[in-house]
Amino acid sequence: MQREKSDQLFKIAKECMPGGVSSPVRAFKAVGMDPLFIQRGQGARIYDVDGNEFIDYVGSFGPLILGHSHPEVVKAIREAAQNGTSYGAPCEKELELAQMICSAIPSIEKIRFVNSGTEATMSAIRLARAYTGRSKIVKFEGCYHGHADSFLIKAGSGLLTSGVPNSAGVLEEQARNTLVARYNDLESVEKIFREEGRDIAAVIVEPVAGNMGLVLPDPDFLKGLRKITSYSGSLLIFDEVITGFRICYGGFQDFAGITPDLTTLGKIIGGGLPVGAYGGRKDIMSRVAPEGDVYQAGTLSGNPLAMAAGVATLKILQDRDWYDRLEVITYMLATRLKTVFEEHGFFYTINRIGSMFSVFFTESEVKTYEDVLKCDTAKYAQFYRHLLEEGVYFPPSQFEVCFVSCAHEMEDIEATVQAVARALDKMA
Ligand SMILES: *Cc1c(COP(=O)(O)O)cnc(C)c1O
């Protein structure tokens, strides 16, 4: 694989950008190599500056459910841009997207657009704190909710329920207000609520965990969270930044039959442009300024280009056949991959739902964050590097999810299976 140009650019980038990147995972540290500079994306494929071509399973880490550069989305962005890129005033596309999302996700009665998932979750907990008059939040180990201070918290030592900072620059004071429970472990949540229930404003959870690799919720886990929060007067926040419009048209909540109080969205609803949103029950959302007393604002929020890309994307996805197709094609891929891994004698687990999947190098099932930590990340790194040589672009970390898009064809699946087989041959 040629990579002179990427290497050259990365060397310069490191001089003027921390780690040479705008977001840490892009530096490829977890897979022990330097990143490739991408020149363009088309459908299911991306092309780097050295002319290498890859079948892409990253999809910009979630937004690109239609694949790269979908003609309808590009057309919508182009048309919007011709009328100006930002007004700092309401526009019709914004209303159109709001209505589409509110009717697709019934628990969202009112919605506020922001510019990233991080802003959405950060604003949602501010709102939850205002609404309940309580200070603490509960999050789960291994779930990611963006990089606001309140979420960069990991579990403290055994006896403490409150967390400790996961990043320099996050204050201990902040960590005291974030309690960390274990995903798929209701008992860990009950314990926290027994001790601190009256101070808990909200529980925030990824209804399907997609930031520790793919970990599916046990059937009773989300139901249990709904019950505990309702009983205790805390709000339940579903962080559907990844799962929104990924598994079905709407939220995973509709698929699971659970109604959260607030939902955060991002990724797919922006069609590849920077967007986030939070929404939920009317009485809660009415507390957001200017209707209410919870301040939250944004110069570029509801941006016409981003709204146009979101509307164009959701319009296509309204044809639910796409979800059936994604299900079938990803099921085929996962099934074929299982055979290949078995033929090569590797211990592995593949978790999958809809068009999301993760390949874990481990002997056991992966149902908790503890299971995730047992995976052989060195082996994943080795697998990753060989697979890249074979023309398949997986996420550069064991803990990120692979995404299949509507642009992936059966030929791509077949080519991917062959590439994985060759990568495993080299590892044997
Ligand atoms: C990506 C992600 C975020 C953060 O979104 P950004 O747009 O990167 O700020 C929040 N929550 C979840 C579940 C995510 O996957």
Side-chain angles (χ1 to χ4, degrees):
M1 189 173 82
Q2 293 285 314
R3 51 170 309 151
E4 283 73 22
K5 274 193 185 168
S6 275
D7 287 343
Q8 212 176 354
L9 292 171
F10 189 53
K11 206 172 143 204
I12 303 166
K14 279 189 290 186
E15 296 296 319
C16 59
M17 297 161 75
V21 293
S22 298
S23 194
V25 71
R26 298 181 197 170
F28 278 42
K29 275 195 165 172
V31 288
M33 62 183 289
D34 287 340
L36 304 176
F37 276 66
I38 303 304
Q39 192 167 57
R40 67 191 178 93
Q42 197 69 55
R45 284 159 199 267
I46 49 172
Y47 303 82
D48 72 9
V49 289
D50 289 287
N52 300 303
E53 174 180 338
F54 304 95
I55 304 174
D56 181 26
Y57 289 94
V58 175
S60 189
F61 293 96
L64 301 181
I65 192 167
L66 300 180
H68 294 271
S69 195
H70 189 287
E72 292 295 319
V73 178
V74 173
K75 182 166 162 257
I77 295 170
R78 183 175 292 138
E79 281 174 8
Q82 269 158 357
N83 290 321
T85 53
S86 180
Y87 319 122
C91 68
E92 278 186 44
K93 279 286 174 205
E94 183 182 4
L95 174 58
E96 193 177 348
L97 188 58
Q99 287 178 317
M100 287 178 91
I101 293 172
C102 290
S103 53
I105 306 178
S107 78
I108 303 183
E109 295 173 343
K110 280 190 176 178
I111 188 166
R112 164 62 59 87
F113 289 112
V114 292
N115 302 290
S116 66
T118 293
E119 270 187 74
T121 54
M122 181 181 80
S123 310
I125 57 163
R126 180 183 303 144
L127 177 58
R129 282 171 168 153
Y131 184 83
T132 58
R134 301 173 178 185
S135 57
K136 301 194 173 181
I137 61 159
V138 176
K139 81 174 280 288
F140 293 90
E141 236 178 342
C143 281
Y144 178 70
H145 305 292
H147 63 82
D149 286 4
S150 300
F151 301 117
L152 294 182
I153 309 288
K154 61 185 171 190
S157 64
L159 295 175
L160 293 168
T161 48
S162 69
V164 296
N166 219 348
S167 159
V170 175
L171 303 177
E172 297 285 344
E173 287 96 294
Q174 191 71 257
R176 259 179 250 133
N177 285 314
T178 300
L179 313 175
V180 184
R182 288 192 298 272
Y183 197 81
N184 273 339
D185 180 352
L186 274 180
E187 252 172 57
S188 74
V189 184
E190 280 161 3
K191 178 172 179 287
I192 288 175
F193 269 86
R194 269 197 304 277
E195 289 167 20
E196 320 229 20
R198 267 168 302 186
D199 293 328
I200 297 171
V203 172
I204 186 166
V205 66
E206 288 180 74
V208 172
N211 284 288
M212 48 175 146
L214 181 67
V215 175
L216 303 178
D218 284 338
D220 292 333
F221 176 61
L222 300 174
K223 260 186 231 158
L225 294 183
R226 180 64 283 182
K227 217 178 199 171
I228 294 168
T229 47
S230 294
Y231 180 78
S232 315
S234 307
L235 300 185
L236 179 60
I237 305 173
F238 271 10
D239 182 355
E240 299 228 38
V241 171
I242 285 186
T243 52
F245 297 91
R246 171 52 71 176
I247 291 156
C248 58
Y249 186 81
F252 181 77
Q253 55 193 268
D254 304 303
F255 199 81
I258 293 163
T259 308
D261 302 296
L262 292 173
T263 299
T264 53
L265 294 167
K267 300 195 171 126
I268 288 176
I269 64 157
L273 267 65
V275 175
Y278 62 106
R281 261 170 39 208
K282 229 174 224 175
D283 62 318
I284 305 172
M285 288 304 291
S286 297
R287 289 290 296 272
V288 177
E291 199 173 334
D293 54 353
V294 178
Y295 192 71
Q296 187 273 306
T299 302
L300 292 173
S301 295
N303 174 264
L305 267 57
M307 297 295 106
V311 167
T313 299
L314 296 196
K315 273 193 180 151
I316 291 166
L317 293 174
Q318 271 175 343
D319 176 357
R320 320 272 161 116
D321 286 353
W322 282 116
Y323 290 97
D324 295 338
R325 185 193 140 108
L326 285 169
E327 169 69 25
V328 169
I329 216 163
T330 316
Y331 168 82
M332 300 275 267
L333 176 58
T335 309
R336 295 285 309 280
L337 288 182
K338 283 178 189 173
T339 311
V340 172
F341 273 84
E342 261 148 40
E343 282 169 359
H344 284 78
F346 279 95
F347 289 118
Y348 76 96
T349 287
I350 296 178
N351 285 353
R352 181 191 76 85
I353 183 167
S355 55
M356 302 166 71
F357 71 95
S358 283
V359 176
F360 296 102
F361 284 91
T362 179
E363 290 181 39
S364 53
E365 294 184 302
V366 181
K367 301 183 76 175
T368 65
Y369 185 58
E370 277 182 350
D371 296 338
V372 168
L373 293 181
K374 281 187 255 164
C375 295
D376 189 339
T377 52
K379 195 156 269 176
Y380 181 83
Q382 200 189 2
F383 170 66
Y384 179 86
R385 294 191 299 263
H386 287 307
L387 193 57
L388 197 65
E389 290 282 341
E390 299 296 337
V392 174
Y393 195 90
F394 263 30
S397 159
Q398 171 78 91
F399 307 124
E400 301 282 350
V401 168
C402 294
F403 294 102
V404 175
S405 80
C406 300
H408 285 75
E409 302 280 352
M410 274 316 289
E411 296 103 84
D412 300 315
I413 299 306
E414 190 54 45
T416 302
V417 172
Q418 301 302 331
V420 168
R422 289 194 300 270
L424 295 179
D425 282 343
K426 289 187 190 161
M427 287 169 70

